Amino acid sequence: MTDEAGPKEQTLVLIKPDGLSKSLTGNILTRLSETKLEIAAAKCVHVSRALAEEHYKSLRDKPFFEELIEYLQGKFHSRKKVLALVYVGPGAIRKVRELAGATNPEEADAVSIRGQYGRITTKGVYENVIHASSNVQEAEREIKLWFEPDEIIYDLYPAETVEVKAKKRVWVKTQK
Ligand code: UDP
Ligand code: MG
């Protein structure tokens, strides 16, 4: 039996600032469509330092952590944002990780996304154009970090409605 019969699964994908700055968004989305997974959410995000640090908190003690946080925030690139997506379908985590390729773009399979488009900077940061969740627990943590329930077209995790009193920006009404 193939894993097509397996349970639905979801994974977080980020097209990192180098992917956006190099106009690779279309190419990367086309490669991801090979998986036949479904996009359940997508948005452009200006990444705050707090969001970048929370996303990569397990790497806090690594020597490259500071550069990694600046990289995800777009400090080294013209497009200071990421495109965040949730892909849903059987085997989503494994399928996207395989297509993304190894973390080190020099070691990644040449026809993987990172093998095709990634590079190592002179500072030693792996600019590997894409993030993909590595397991079910990380996928849940990351999806909940980047998206609110109503930004995803499916109820992937239990959600509840709470009363909030908050200010928000709205479009200025113009006379017609
Ligand atoms: N990274 C790096 N140098 C390293 C290892 C990782 O610059 O030696 C960066 C790279 O951009 C990678 C990210 O840190 O995508 C997160 O690392 P992780 O080990 O989680 O790899 P991934 O899950 O992205 O393959
Ligand atoms: Mg990782």
Side-chain angles (χ1 to χ4, degrees):
M1 195 164 36
T2 70
D3 65 358
E4 297 304 318
K8 281 240 173 178
E9 194 174 77
Q10 49 271 354
T11 189
L12 180 82
V13 170
L14 302 176
I15 300 183
K16 296 179 176 180
D18 50 326
L20 294 168
S21 298
K22 292 174 176 173
S23 288
L24 292 170
T25 310
N27 307 49
I28 293 169
L29 293 179
T30 300
R31 292 300 315 273
L32 287 166
S33 70
E34 289 169 24
T35 62
K36 304 223 170 59
L37 298 167
E38 189 189 346
I39 295 173
K43 66 175 175 183
C44 273
V45 184
H46 273 141
V47 183
S48 66
R49 188 171 179 99
L51 176 57
E53 285 186 354
E54 187 62 27
H55 178 76
Y56 280 133
K57 69 179 181 188
S58 65
L59 300 174
R60 227 174 348 227
D61 299 332
K62 300 286 183 195
F64 55 83
F65 184 69
E66 181 56 33
E67 276 85 12
L68 176 59
I69 295 310
E70 292 182 11
Y71 163 41
L72 195 66
Q73 288 191 269
K75 299 243 161 114
F76 308 137
H77 294 95
S78 56
R79 304 252 162 103
K80 304 194 184 316
K81 61 188 173 192
V82 308
L83 183 61
L85 304 116
V86 176
Y87 278 83
V88 179
I93 294 170
R94 181 188 54 76
K95 284 178 184 167
V96 177
R97 289 288 296 190
E98 269 179 25
L99 193 62
T103 306
N104 180 339
E106 304 269 292
E107 288 170 5
D109 188 301
V111 294
S112 66
I113 294 170
R114 288 166 165 179
Q116 268 190 306
Y117 302 125
R119 68 162 194 153
I120 301 179
T121 68
T122 46
K123 278 186 172 175
V125 180
Y126 297 173
E127 288 188 357
N128 51 16
V129 304
I130 189 174
H131 165 82
S133 306
S134 55
N135 58 56
V136 173
Q137 291 74 26
E138 277 291 277
E140 177 171 351
R141 186 186 75 83
E142 293 172 358
I143 290 169
K144 288 178 173 176
L145 177 64
W146 288 83
F147 288 93
E148 295 194 7
D150 288 343
E151 293 178 316
I152 305 174
I153 61 166
Y154 301 120
D155 279 335
L156 300 179
Y157 308 107
E160 59 184 346
T161 303
V162 294
E163 292 274 358
V164 290
K165 189 163 181 280
K167 287 186 180 172
K168 69 170 184 177
R169 296 209 310 150
V170 296
W171 301 119
V172 172
K173 286 200 178 66
T174 49
Q175 299 288 349
K176 281 255 171 75

